[in-house]
């Protein structure tokens, strides 16, 4: 049985999908060095455009990222969060609806095009 669906026209290098069970990825684009866990939905609502996922974004298990929104570089989406608004670079968001709960200082996945070494 297939349970991982990816309908994203532009995906950067080194996308890591951990446990793709019940995962639907329908973003406008996904940057490089991203990490997506199981039971995640990235996709449409009634908005004509899907989300844009930046570089080094981590989307934790069960999270929903929907609407015409942008997720900034190195943002972290907490487990089971419902993201319906833009998330800035290095922001950690969680809750329903998601709100800022911290700043990503130590767990960055993306360091720029010339510095793709995890630190």
């Amino acid at each position: 049985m297939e349970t991982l669906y990816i309908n994203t026209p532009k995906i950067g290098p080194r996308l890591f999908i951990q446990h793709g069970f019940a995962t639907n990825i329908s973003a406008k684009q996904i940057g490089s060095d991203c990490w997506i866990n199981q039971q995640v939905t990235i996709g449409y609502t009634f908005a004509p455009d899907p989300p844009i996922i930046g570089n080094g974004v981590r989307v934790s298990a069960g999270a929903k990222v929907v609407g015409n929104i942008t997720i900034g570089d190195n943002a972290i989406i907490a487990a089971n969060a419902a993201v319906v608004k833009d998330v800035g670079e290095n922001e950690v968001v969680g809750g329903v609806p998601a709100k800022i709960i911290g700043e990503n200082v130590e767990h960055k996945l993306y360091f720029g095009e010339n510095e793709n070494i995890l630190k």
Side-chain angles (χ1 to χ4, degrees):
M1 173 175 16
E2 296 179 19
T3 63
L4 171 62
Y5 300 97
I6 301 174
N7 182 25
T8 300
K10 185 176 179 186
I11 298 174
R14 296 172 300 279
L15 171 63
F16 178 66
I17 299 175
Q18 184 173 17
H19 310 300
F21 173 75
T23 301
N24 186 347
I25 303 169
S26 296
K28 188 176 212 174
Q29 71 180 46
I30 297 174
S32 64
D33 304 296
C34 291
W35 181 335
I36 299 174
N37 282 90
Q38 70 273 16
Q39 298 178 317
V40 164
T41 298
I42 299 173
Y44 300 88
T45 56
F46 296 106
D49 292 321
I52 295 173
I53 308 297
N55 300 300
V57 173
R58 192 175 306 190
V59 185
S60 301
K64 311 297 182 257
V65 181
V66 294
N68 185 10
I69 61 174
T70 300
I71 309 300
D73 291 351
N74 288 310
I76 297 175
I77 310 299
N80 296 312
V83 183
V84 295
K85 294 183 180 179
D86 289 348
V87 175
E89 186 174 328
N90 298 312
E91 289 181 348
V92 179
V93 299
V96 179
K99 61 182 179 182
I100 299 170
I101 59 173
E103 179 182 2
N104 182 7
V105 177
E106 298 180 12
H107 302 286
K108 296 182 181 183
L109 297 175
Y110 179 76
F111 298 98
E113 289 302 320
N114 296 320
E115 302 176 41
N116 288 318
I117 299 171
L118 295 177
K119 296 182 180 181

